[in-house]
Amino acid sequence: MEKKSPLKIENLVKKYGAFTAVDSVSFEMKPGEIFGLLGPNGAGKTSIISCIVTLQEQTSGRIEVFGHDCQKETKLAKAAIGFVPQELINHGYFSVEEILHFHSGYYGRSNNTERIHYLLDKLALFEHKDKKVKALSGGMKRRLLIAKALVHEPELLLLDEPTAGVDIELRTSLWDFVEELRKDGLSILLTTHYLEEAEELCDRVGILQRGQLKKIGPTAELIKELTQREIMIKVSRELESIQHAHLIEQEGQHLKFRVPSDKGVGDLINDLGLDLNLVMDLSIKEGSLEDAFLSILGGDVQ
Amino acid sequence: MKKTSDLTWTPFFSLYKRELNRFLKVIFQTVFTPLITASLYLLIFGVSLGKSITLSSGLSYLSFLIPGLVMMSVLNNSFQNSSSSVVSGKFSGDLEDLRVVPLSVSQILWAMSIGGLTRGFMVGSITFFVGQVFHYVVIGELLSVEQPLVLLFFLIIGGLSFAQLGIAVAFWAKTFDQMSAVGAFVLTPLIYLGGVFFSIESLHPFWKSLSYFNPMLYFINGVRYGLLGQSDVEPWMAAGISLLALCGFYFLARFVLKKGHYSRW
């Protein structure tokens, strides 16, 4: 049997009054992939996630989680999802371990100590398990949110800006953990405005702008398609001024070109008719997702 | 292979257990403080002032007061439990959890209202116990329960109703102030005027007929009938109107759980 898509969104629209936060967005995730939703603040990333977990009511469209309609088969859809919200949550009365036990119960798991201890250990919270949430640091609270999302071994993990306001050390360890989860077969949707994060983790990304999905595709391909590489050549003697479409700078012995990502160095040197013996040094800077992002969004990045 | 999960009873009992543990963790504030209040009422109204009050039914004022105070404890504490659970959830942000996890509106509604009823019952029982002590000391005998099933019926209906009302009000409230305003300006007056401390027979005819529009009157007099075997209102009428009130509060709570916002303040 073919595996059902972890998440299928069709023509999702979310309006707040007259404001359209999500404008007819459609995409489908593949089993086991990490899919990134990218966009500047206010692009509609959190609204999409909120509709999936029913924190917001969608205006129209259809969301399916492993074939279960989020509005009609809510329980089955929710049972398959682990959700890590963007904002930290406090819990007034209970300790870390108690919270995880209640949370397991909500997902129908009454004796879940083994899994809870595994997650506490994995997320370096074990020694804090008897503390109340308000006694935890921000980073620990963030990890508790992740533990909560994973107590019931979900098949689809939704991470809403998982590393917003997180220090570099924790960010790296979270990335490693996400990679590990993917290896276990979990499908992961994450929203981020850190492009580095998307580049590092995501198999595919969708770029959102003002509620619309502008571009979707494998991360590497998007970068290739939308970015340019910079090629710097140092030659052994000063050349007379060069005329070339991709030349952006010529200063003494240094030449700098910006070429489409699919153009090779050899092609460029051939174009120039440059004697290879003159080339002293050569360096290439590949385009980043940031460049791709900017080329899609134009000046709309805050 | 993944463990199979039961999405019917386990989630319900987990939430019920949370509701229970929440008030048991602060038991001093939630259960013992009402104990002091009830004792003071009994001492001041029941014993001191009660000596100079004679009731047409021939009952002692202390006997008359006890069922009123019991029901007042049940109503207040049921309301308190569910409303403070929702409000503190809004404050800390974990109310969102209830929406995200596979709990249905019915499961949330019943787990919270039975949680509220449980606290109402505990405090109501303590109030009854203290009342019995006073009754024994002052009158020389314990108050016997005339209609235990009727008593139970009204306590359950009242507790569930107020727990559900608590959910509705707490979802509606946008601030702590709004929340306490409902308590101070609506609920407390209605409970006090519903005949906790007096028989509506003693009121001016205008106020008396107005009292019949107060649903608390039926809750409180139902309990009074269950305990003493007599009340201001016919027990069948009290039962009917109390059930109607429960239905009203139930649908109100259902509506807010379905349509209300679970987001943090």
Side-chain angles (χ1 to χ4, degrees), chain B residues 204-216:
Chain B
H204 179 276
F206 171 76
W207 294 110
K208 188 178 161 184
S209 35
L210 201 65
S211 293
Y212 285 111
F213 290 97
N214 179 359
M216 309 314 144

Side-chain angles (χ1 to χ4, degrees), chain B:
Chain B
M1 190 61 207
K2 269 185 74 169
K3 276 196 265 178
T4 48
S5 308
D6 154 47
L7 290 179
T8 312
W9 291 108
T10 312
F12 169 81
F13 281 116
S14 296
L15 182 56
Y16 174 66
K17 216 170 118 191
R18 191 198 75 168
E19 290 295 291
L20 217 60
N21 283 332
R22 211 183 54 80
F23 79 83
L24 291 176
K25 285 226 167 194
V26 279
I27 193 162
F28 196 81
Q29 174 195 336
T30 52
V31 178
F32 292 118
T33 312
L35 178 80
I36 307 290
T37 321
S39 306
L40 283 173
Y41 277 134
L42 286 161
L43 192 67
I44 296 162
F45 293 109
V47 182
S48 306
L49 295 172
K51 283 180 189 148
S52 52
I53 300 174
T54 41
L55 295 166
S56 53
S57 54
L59 276 174
S60 75
Y61 181 69
L62 186 59
S63 314
F64 177 87
L65 180 63
I66 290 169
L69 286 180
V70 168
M71 192 51 158
M72 187 164 86
S73 303
V74 172
L75 298 179
N76 272 334
N77 284 280
S78 303
F79 180 85
Q80 275 297 326
N81 203 59
S82 61
S83 63
S84 62
S85 173
V86 170
V87 164
S88 64
K90 274 187 179 180
F91 189 68
S92 56
D94 64 346
L95 188 65
E96 285 191 357
D97 283 354
L98 294 186
R99 187 66 166 199
V100 171
V101 300
L103 276 165
S104 67
V105 164
S106 301
Q107 284 170 322
I108 298 173
L109 196 155
W110 287 111
M112 281 196 161
S113 44
I114 297 174
L117 176 67
T118 310
R119 172 161 152 200
F121 243 86
M122 280 178 64
V123 181
S125 307
I126 291 172
T127 310
F128 183 62
F129 175 77
V130 177
Q132 285 286 34
V133 172
F134 274 87
H135 203 271
Y136 189 77
V137 170
V138 175
I139 297 174
E141 57 178 23
L142 290 176
L143 192 62
S144 62
V145 180
E146 294 294 325
Q147 306 268 0
L149 289 179
V150 174
L151 176 65
L152 202 63
F153 172 85
F154 281 102
L155 292 176
I156 291 174
I157 302 289
L160 288 178
S161 297
F162 264 58
Q164 288 165 6
L165 180 66
I167 297 172
V169 173
F171 259 91
W172 163 82
K174 297 274 178 292
T175 58
F176 277 116
D177 286 347
Q178 286 183 340
M179 192 62 227
S180 56
V182 173
F185 294 111
V186 183
L187 293 178
T188 309
L190 284 179
I191 293 175
Y192 277 47
L193 296 173
V196 172
F197 297 101
F198 54 83
S199 160
I200 56 164
E201 297 302 328
S202 60
L203 292 176
H204 179 276
F206 171 76
W207 294 110
K208 188 178 161 184
S209 35
L210 201 65
S211 293
Y212 285 111
F213 290 97
N214 179 359
M216 309 314 144
L217 179 78
Y218 305 95
F219 286 150
I220 291 163
N221 276 287
V223 168
R224 189 162 282 142
Y225 181 83
L227 251 172
L228 306 174
Q230 50 176 278
S231 68
D232 287 349
V233 185
E234 279 300 314
W236 286 113
M237 188 176 163
I241 292 176
S242 301
L243 274 174
L244 250 140
L246 175 64
C247 287
F249 293 138
Y250 169 80
F251 284 111
L252 193 65
R254 234 193 129 74
F255 177 77
V256 299
L257 282 172
K258 230 181 162 102
K259 296 283 172 196
H261 280 286
Y262 289 68
S263 46
R264 115 181 21 219
W265 277 343

